[in-house]
Amino acid sequence: MRIGYILKSFPVLSQTFVLNEMRTLEALGVPVEVFSVLLPGLENGGLQHDGVGHLVERAIYWQRERRPRWRVGRANAALLARSGRQAYANARQAIEEARILQGQRAFARFAAWAYELRRRGVTHLHAHFATEGAVVARAFAALTGLPYSVTVHAYDLFLHPDTLAAVLPDAAFVVTVSHYNEDYILDLCPDVDPARIRVLHPWVDVKKFAPVSLLEGPLRVLSVGRLVEKKGHAYLIEACRLLREQDVDFTCRIIGEGPLREELETRIAEYGLQDHVRLLGAQPHAVVRQALS
C-alpha cells in the first residue's frame, strides 16, 4: 500500500494531526506521497525541519510544477482511455465548480498529476477536510480508478458543508473525529453508508510533552492556537486583566498567528497588559514543545 494525500495546502502549521498521521503510517511501513493544491504559507516553513522535510521535498505542488506538453498529453490520453469521456468530463466539471482552476488546458496539466501519482505506485487517495482537497481526491479517483477516502473534521462539517454530499457517498470510507460528527454526517448526507464511517479520535504523543520540573515564581500561562475567533483569545486576555486586578503575579504567552492579531494587540494595550501578555506569532513545533515544558 502507498497512500497519496491530496491536500489543499501542505504543510500547515496548525494541522499537526495530519503530520502525525503521515509519520505514523511511515513508521508502520506505509509509504506516503503528497499532492498539494496550494503552496504553503511562509509561516509554515519551520515545519520542514520537524520530521516532514522529506515529504515536502517529494510533494507535488500544483501551483509550482510544470511538465512538458508531451507528458501532459500522454498522461491525459491514458486517463481518458481508462476513465471514459463522461467520467473525464465530470472530473473536470467538479474541479472547475470548486474554483480550483478553469479551462481545458489547465485541467489537462492538473489531471496529469493524477497519472503521476499512480505512476509513483499510489494505491489509495486520502484527503483531510471535505473541501477542495476532497474534491480533487474524488476527481483523481475517477480518472485513475484508485479508491479514495476523506477525514472530516469541523470547519468542513459545520461551517462549509457545501461539498459533503458530493465527496462523501462515493468514498471507500469516511473518517471523523467523534461520534457526534458521525451522527451529524448521517443526518446531513443520508446517501453515505453508515458502515463506511470510522471514528478515530485525535491523539497526542504525550511522551513529547513532559514538564522539565516544577516551576516556582509567577503563574505562567501559555496558549497555542491560531488567532481566530473560535479559539477564544479575547476571553483569555480578559481573564488576564482580572488576574492583574487581583494582584496575581503572572505572565501569559500566546503562540499563533491569524487575522485577529491587531485586534488582540489593541486589547492588550487598552488593558495595560503589555508587561504581562505577549503575542509570539507562529512557531515551529519544537519551539512549542519547549514552551510547554
Side-chain angles (χ1 to χ4, degrees):
M1 180 178 286
R2 182 180 292 266
I3 307 297
Y5 274 81
I6 312 296
L7 305 172
K8 181 178 179 180
S9 182
F10 175 82
V12 176
L13 195 59
S14 61
Q15 294 179 9
T16 53
F17 43 87
V18 178
L19 304 176
N20 286 340
E21 187 173 283
M22 290 178 172
R23 281 192 285 248
T24 302
L25 283 170
E26 289 191 319
L28 293 171
V30 179
V32 169
E33 302 284 347
V34 178
F35 178 91
S36 179
V37 177
L38 302 177
L39 290 168
L42 294 176
E43 71 276 9
N44 295 316
L47 281 174
Q48 297 185 24
H49 306 289
D50 199 36
V52 295
H54 64 294
L55 292 175
V56 174
E57 290 174 3
R58 283 184 54 83
I60 298 169
Y61 289 98
W62 153 246
Q63 288 188 325
R64 184 175 64 194
E65 305 287 358
R66 291 291 183 270
R67 309 201 81 188
R69 286 185 180 180
W70 67 269
R71 284 193 177 181
V72 171
R74 185 180 67 178
N76 278 263
L79 294 173
L80 190 57
R82 200 224 65 82
S83 64
R85 291 184 179 276
Q86 190 58 54
Y88 185 92
N90 291 343
R92 175 185 168 183
Q93 181 180 354
I95 295 295
E96 291 186 344
E97 287 179 352
R99 299 182 179 180
I100 295 169
L101 52 82
Q102 295 292 324
Q104 176 56 39
R105 275 191 177 183
F107 178 73
R109 289 193 292 108
F110 194 79
W113 292 111
Y115 180 84
E116 172 65 15
L117 286 171
R118 179 142 196 169
R119 192 191 68 80
R120 289 189 182 188
V122 167
T123 57
H124 185 93
L125 304 170
H126 187 72
H128 269 269
F129 296 96
T131 53
E132 292 91 338
V135 172
V136 174
R138 181 173 181 266
F140 279 11
L143 293 171
T144 61
L146 295 174
Y148 77 96
S149 51
V150 183
T151 295
V152 180
H153 294 271
Y155 168 85
D156 48 343
L157 187 57
F158 303 110
L159 291 181
H160 296 279
D162 317 333
T163 60
L164 287 173
V167 300
L168 297 189
D170 293 334
F173 60 88
V174 177
V175 178
T176 192
V177 297
S178 70
H179 291 290
Y180 179 91
N181 284 10
E182 178 184 22
D183 294 339
Y184 193 88
I185 290 169
L186 293 174
D187 287 342
L188 205 61
C189 303
D191 291 338
V192 175
D193 182 356
R196 293 187 177 184
I197 298 181
R198 300 287 185 270
V199 175
L200 295 178
H201 303 294
W203 56 272
V204 172
D205 184 355
V206 293
K207 295 177 182 177
K208 294 182 178 179
F209 299 95
V212 174
S213 62
L214 294 177
L215 300 174
E216 298 179 354
L219 171 67
R220 301 184 186 190
V221 180
L222 176 68
S223 174
V224 182
R226 291 178 296 122
L227 305 184
V228 295
E229 184 181 9
K230 66 181 179 181
K231 300 298 184 182
H233 293 103
Y235 301 105
L236 173 59
I237 293 171
E238 177 69 17
C240 289
R241 180 183 68 82
L242 296 174
L243 286 175
R244 192 197 59 186
E245 289 179 356
Q246 296 172 33
D247 293 326
V248 175
D249 188 12
F250 76 97
T251 63
C252 177
R253 302 292 180 261
I254 299 174
I255 293 178
E257 195 56 78
L260 294 186
R261 184 183 183 98
E262 185 175 343
E263 178 181 323
L264 296 175
E265 287 176 338
T266 299
R267 189 167 300 209
I268 290 168
E270 178 185 338
Y271 293 158
L273 292 171
Q274 296 94 325
D275 294 337
H276 296 274
V277 182
R278 288 182 56 199
L279 303 179
L280 302 181
Q283 299 292 338
H285 296 158
V287 174
V288 174
R289 286 196 296 268
Q290 184 178 15
L292 281 168
S293 73

